[in-house]
Amino acid sequence: MASLHTRELDVDKLSVANLEARIELAQFRSRRASEFLRRFPEVDPSPEDALPTIGWEQLERQLRSLAGPDCERASWEMEVLQVSARTNPPELFFRDLLTLAWSLIDGTKPPPPEEDSMD
């Protein structure tokens, strides 16, 4: 039976690994947004060029409809999209949304962000 001290060390190692993974993910997201903005500098659309307003519930409803039998994945992916929308530039958010919609229609998983060449 492992001692209390050994279990505490194991928990500490897991905590450190978890923290390191979160830091790496934050750094990756920051680099991805910076690279995106370098490739596609922000442009403020005029009011007549702005997209129509839509809510998260409406967006999820449409993604679930497009997903067909894969509708559970649409809900999970939608949660990820909502979190990334808080920090990503708007155009990168829409790129991720379009990629998600394509993957749900196609029935495949979207490419990982690190493989998204942003061409």
Side-chain angles (χ1 to χ4, degrees), residues 2-15:
S3 71
L4 180 59
H5 180 70
T6 302
R7 283 185 280 186
E8 287 174 355
L9 287 176
D10 289 343
V11 169
D12 286 346
K13 287 178 186 176
L14 286 173
S15 296

Side-chain angles (χ1 to χ4, degrees), residues 8-9 12 22-23 27 38-39 50 57-58 61 70 73 80 82-84 102-103:
E8 287 174 355
L9 287 176
D12 286 346
R22 292 173 139 206
I23 290 170
Q27 290 171 334
R38 228 182 341 272
R39 175 83 169 92
E57 186 177 326
Q58 295 164 296
R61 180 173 57 198
D70 204 12
R73 184 170 72 93
V80 173
Q82 281 182 289
V83 170
S84 69
W102 162 78
S103 75

Side-chain angles (χ1 to χ4, degrees), residues 9-82:
L9 287 176
D10 289 343
V11 169
D12 286 346
K13 287 178 186 176
L14 286 173
S15 296
V16 168
N18 187 5
L19 178 60
E20 288 173 348
R22 292 173 139 206
I23 290 170
E24 286 178 23
L25 180 60
Q27 290 171 334
F28 168 77
R29 287 180 175 166
S30 177
R31 278 192 313 274
R32 182 173 183 250
S34 295
E35 290 170 12
F36 183 86
L37 289 172
R38 228 182 341 272
R39 175 83 169 92
F40 303 102
E42 286 191 83
V43 177
D44 288 327
S46 62
E48 58 271 0
D49 286 337
L51 293 171
T53 303
I54 186 169
W56 288 110
E57 186 177 326
Q58 295 164 296
L59 190 55
E60 183 174 356
R61 180 173 57 198
Q62 293 306 311
L63 288 174
R64 289 175 67 87
S65 174
L66 291 170
D70 204 12
C71 65
E72 289 306 313
R73 184 170 72 93
S75 294
W76 180 83
E77 295 279 8
M78 189 67 189
E79 289 178 25
V80 173
L81 197 61
Q82 281 182 289

Side-chain angles (χ1 to χ4, degrees), residues 63 66-67 70 73-74 77 96-111:
L63 288 174
L66 291 170
D70 204 12
R73 184 170 72 93
E77 295 279 8
D96 289 344
L97 173 61
L98 292 168
T99 302
L100 173 58
W102 162 78
S103 75
L104 291 170
I105 293 167
D106 191 50
T108 60
K109 287 197 169 198

